[in-house]
PDB file of all heavy atoms in Angstrom:
ATOM      1  N   LYS A   3     -16.901  -6.847 -13.847  1.00 85.00           N
ATOM      2  CA  LYS A   3     -16.760  -7.253 -12.453  1.00 85.00           C
ATOM      3  C   LYS A   3     -15.701  -6.376 -11.791  1.00 85.00           C
ATOM      4  O   LYS A   3     -14.579  -6.268 -12.278  1.00 85.00           O
ATOM      5  CB  LYS A   3     -16.336  -8.718 -12.389  1.00 85.00           C
ATOM      6  CG  LYS A   3     -16.160  -9.270 -10.980  1.00 85.00           C
ATOM      7  CD  LYS A   3     -15.758 -10.746 -11.055  1.00 85.00           C
ATOM      8  CE  LYS A   3     -15.626 -11.346  -9.673  1.00 85.00           C
ATOM      9  NZ  LYS A   3     -15.227 -12.773  -9.735  1.00 85.00           N
ATOM     10  N   ILE A   4     -16.063  -5.715 -10.692  1.00 84.00           N
ATOM     11  CA  ILE A   4     -15.140  -4.846  -9.963  1.00 84.00           C
ATOM     12  C   ILE A   4     -14.563  -5.629  -8.782  1.00 84.00           C
ATOM     13  O   ILE A   4     -15.304  -6.207  -7.997  1.00 84.00           O
ATOM     14  CB  ILE A   4     -15.842  -3.578  -9.433  1.00 84.00           C
ATOM     15  CG1 ILE A   4     -16.470  -2.799 -10.594  1.00 84.00           C
ATOM     16  CG2 ILE A   4     -14.860  -2.699  -8.674  1.00 84.00           C
ATOM     17  CD1 ILE A   4     -15.502  -2.262 -11.602  1.00 84.00           C
ATOM     18  N   VAL A   5     -13.241  -5.687  -8.694  1.00 82.00           N
ATOM     19  CA  VAL A   5     -12.571  -6.405  -7.607  1.00 82.00           C
ATOM     20  C   VAL A   5     -11.693  -5.435  -6.840  1.00 82.00           C
ATOM     21  O   VAL A   5     -10.857  -4.736  -7.430  1.00 82.00           O
ATOM     22  CB  VAL A   5     -11.708  -7.571  -8.152  1.00 82.00           C
ATOM     23  CG1 VAL A   5     -10.975  -8.263  -7.013  1.00 82.00           C
ATOM     24  CG2 VAL A   5     -12.588  -8.573  -8.878  1.00 82.00           C
ATOM     25  N   TYR A   6     -11.889  -5.365  -5.536  1.00 80.00           N
ATOM     26  CA  TYR A   6     -11.086  -4.489  -4.679  1.00 80.00           C
ATOM     27  C   TYR A   6     -10.065  -5.323  -3.913  1.00 80.00           C
ATOM     28  O   TYR A   6     -10.408  -6.293  -3.252  1.00 80.00           O
ATOM     29  CB  TYR A   6     -11.982  -3.754  -3.680  1.00 80.00           C
ATOM     30  CG  TYR A   6     -11.214  -2.860  -2.730  1.00 80.00           C
ATOM     31  CD1 TYR A   6     -10.992  -1.526  -3.051  1.00 80.00           C
ATOM     32  CD2 TYR A   6     -10.692  -3.349  -1.537  1.00 80.00           C
ATOM     33  CE1 TYR A   6     -10.281  -0.705  -2.197  1.00 80.00           C
ATOM     34  CE2 TYR A   6      -9.982  -2.541  -0.680  1.00 80.00           C
ATOM     35  CZ  TYR A   6      -9.787  -1.219  -1.012  1.00 80.00           C
ATOM     36  OH  TYR A   6      -9.068  -0.410  -0.164  1.00 80.00           O
ATOM     37  N   ASN A   7      -8.794  -4.949  -4.028  1.00 78.00           N
ATOM     38  CA  ASN A   7      -7.733  -5.632  -3.288  1.00 78.00           C
ATOM     39  C   ASN A   7      -6.609  -4.654  -3.006  1.00 78.00           C
ATOM     40  O   ASN A   7      -6.237  -3.854  -3.882  1.00 78.00           O
ATOM     41  CB  ASN A   7      -7.186  -6.822  -4.085  1.00 78.00           C
ATOM     42  CG  ASN A   7      -8.074  -8.036  -3.971  1.00 78.00           C
ATOM     43  OD1 ASN A   7      -8.014  -8.786  -3.006  1.00 78.00           O
ATOM     44  ND2 ASN A   7      -8.932  -8.223  -4.970  1.00 78.00           N
ATOM     45  N   ASN A   8      -6.052  -4.736  -1.817  1.00 83.00           N
ATOM     46  CA  ASN A   8      -4.941  -3.859  -1.437  1.00 83.00           C
ATOM     47  C   ASN A   8      -3.646  -4.661  -1.498  1.00 83.00           C
ATOM     48  O   ASN A   8      -3.303  -5.380  -0.572  1.00 83.00           O
ATOM     49  CB  ASN A   8      -5.158  -3.310  -0.027  1.00 83.00           C
ATOM     50  CG  ASN A   8      -4.045  -2.362   0.395  1.00 83.00           C
ATOM     51  OD1 ASN A   8      -3.021  -2.240  -0.269  1.00 83.00           O
ATOM     52  ND2 ASN A   8      -4.237  -1.683   1.503  1.00 83.00           N
ATOM     53  N   TYR A   9      -2.933  -4.536  -2.622  1.00 85.00           N
ATOM     54  CA  TYR A   9      -1.641  -5.206  -2.769  1.00 85.00           C
ATOM     55  C   TYR A   9      -0.525  -4.186  -2.598  1.00 85.00           C
ATOM     56  O   TYR A   9      -0.574  -3.096  -3.164  1.00 85.00           O
ATOM     57  CB  TYR A   9      -1.537  -5.885  -4.137  1.00 85.00           C
ATOM     58  CG  TYR A   9      -2.355  -7.145  -4.223  1.00 85.00           C
ATOM     59  CD1 TYR A   9      -3.689  -7.112  -4.638  1.00 85.00           C
ATOM     60  CD2 TYR A   9      -1.822  -8.370  -3.851  1.00 85.00           C
ATOM     61  CE1 TYR A   9      -4.456  -8.257  -4.684  1.00 85.00           C
ATOM     62  CE2 TYR A   9      -2.577  -9.530  -3.900  1.00 85.00           C
ATOM     63  CZ  TYR A   9      -3.889  -9.469  -4.316  1.00 85.00           C
ATOM     64  OH  TYR A   9      -4.646 -10.611  -4.354  1.00 85.00           O
ATOM     65  N   GLN A  10       0.473  -4.555  -1.809  1.00 85.00           N
ATOM     66  CA  GLN A  10       1.608  -3.679  -1.566  1.00 85.00           C
ATOM     67  C   GLN A  10       2.597  -3.767  -2.734  1.00 85.00           C
ATOM     68  O   GLN A  10       2.487  -4.643  -3.592  1.00 85.00           O
ATOM     69  CB  GLN A  10       2.303  -4.087  -0.265  1.00 85.00           C
ATOM     70  CG  GLN A  10       1.389  -4.076   0.944  1.00 85.00           C
ATOM     71  CD  GLN A  10       0.872  -2.694   1.287  1.00 85.00           C
ATOM     72  OE1 GLN A  10       1.609  -1.839   1.743  1.00 85.00           O
ATOM     73  NE2 GLN A  10      -0.411  -2.455   1.053  1.00 85.00           N
ATOM     74  N   PHE A  11       3.562  -2.855  -2.768  1.00 83.00           N
ATOM     75  CA  PHE A  11       4.481  -2.801  -3.910  1.00 83.00           C
ATOM     76  C   PHE A  11       5.284  -4.092  -4.087  1.00 83.00           C
ATOM     77  O   PHE A  11       5.724  -4.415  -5.185  1.00 83.00           O
ATOM     78  CB  PHE A  11       5.430  -1.606  -3.778  1.00 83.00           C
ATOM     79  CG  PHE A  11       6.401  -1.707  -2.628  1.00 83.00           C
ATOM     80  CD1 PHE A  11       7.604  -2.385  -2.760  1.00 83.00           C
ATOM     81  CD2 PHE A  11       6.119  -1.115  -1.402  1.00 83.00           C
ATOM     82  CE1 PHE A  11       8.495  -2.474  -1.701  1.00 83.00           C
ATOM     83  CE2 PHE A  11       7.001  -1.202  -0.337  1.00 83.00           C
ATOM     84  CZ  PHE A  11       8.197  -1.880  -0.490  1.00 83.00           C
ATOM     85  N   TYR A  12       5.476  -4.862  -3.023  1.00 86.00           N
ATOM     86  CA  TYR A  12       6.286  -6.077  -3.082  1.00 86.00           C
ATOM     87  C   TYR A  12       5.457  -7.328  -3.374  1.00 86.00           C
ATOM     88  O   TYR A  12       5.974  -8.440  -3.319  1.00 86.00           O
ATOM     89  CB  TYR A  12       7.048  -6.268  -1.761  1.00 86.00           C
ATOM     90  CG  TYR A  12       6.194  -6.108  -0.525  1.00 86.00           C
ATOM     91  CD1 TYR A  12       5.409  -7.145  -0.049  1.00 86.00           C
ATOM     92  CD2 TYR A  12       6.158  -4.888   0.146  1.00 86.00           C
ATOM     93  CE1 TYR A  12       4.613  -6.995   1.063  1.00 86.00           C
ATOM     94  CE2 TYR A  12       5.362  -4.725   1.269  1.00 86.00           C
ATOM     95  CZ  TYR A  12       4.588  -5.773   1.719  1.00 86.00           C
ATOM     96  OH  TYR A  12       3.791  -5.615   2.822  1.00 86.00           O
ATOM     97  N   GLU A  13       4.161  -7.171  -3.689  1.00 86.00           N
ATOM     98  CA  GLU A  13       3.284  -8.326  -3.869  1.00 86.00           C
ATOM     99  C   GLU A  13       2.786  -8.484  -5.302  1.00 86.00           C
ATOM    100  O   GLU A  13       1.683  -8.952  -5.539  1.00 86.00           O
ATOM    101  CB  GLU A  13       2.073  -8.202  -2.944  1.00 86.00           C
ATOM    102  CG  GLU A  13       2.382  -8.378  -1.482  1.00 86.00           C
ATOM    103  CD  GLU A  13       1.110  -8.436  -0.657  1.00 86.00           C
ATOM    104  OE1 GLU A  13       0.475  -7.372  -0.479  1.00 86.00           O
ATOM    105  OE2 GLU A  13       0.749  -9.537  -0.222  1.00 86.00           O
ATOM    106  N   TYR A  14       3.609  -8.135  -6.282  1.00 82.00           N
ATOM    107  CA  TYR A  14       3.135  -8.214  -7.662  1.00 82.00           C
ATOM    108  C   TYR A  14       2.869  -9.674  -8.072  1.00 82.00           C
ATOM    109  O   TYR A  14       2.002  -9.949  -8.906  1.00 82.00           O
ATOM    110  CB  TYR A  14       4.128  -7.541  -8.617  1.00 82.00           C
ATOM    111  CG  TYR A  14       5.326  -8.384  -8.962  1.00 82.00           C
ATOM    112  CD1 TYR A  14       5.314  -9.211 -10.070  1.00 82.00           C
ATOM    113  CD2 TYR A  14       6.464  -8.367  -8.165  1.00 82.00           C
ATOM    114  CE1 TYR A  14       6.408  -9.996 -10.382  1.00 82.00           C
ATOM    115  CE2 TYR A  14       7.550  -9.141  -8.477  1.00 82.00           C
ATOM    116  CZ  TYR A  14       7.524  -9.959  -9.586  1.00 82.00           C
ATOM    117  OH  TYR A  14       8.606 -10.741  -9.884  1.00 82.00           O
ATOM    118  N   ALA A  15       3.608 -10.635  -7.479  1.00 83.00           N
ATOM    119  CA  ALA A  15       3.389 -12.053  -7.796  1.00 83.00           C
ATOM    120  C   ALA A  15       2.017 -12.508  -7.296  1.00 83.00           C
ATOM    121  O   ALA A  15       1.303 -13.253  -7.982  1.00 83.00           O
ATOM    122  CB  ALA A  15       4.488 -12.905  -7.176  1.00 83.00           C
TER     123      ALA A  15
END
Side-chain angles (χ1 to χ4, degrees):
K3 180 179 182 180
I4 302 296
V5 178
Y6 178 91
N7 280 278
N8 182 350
Y9 285 89
Q10 303 296 290
F11 67 85
Y12 48 82
E13 290 188 287
Y14 79 91

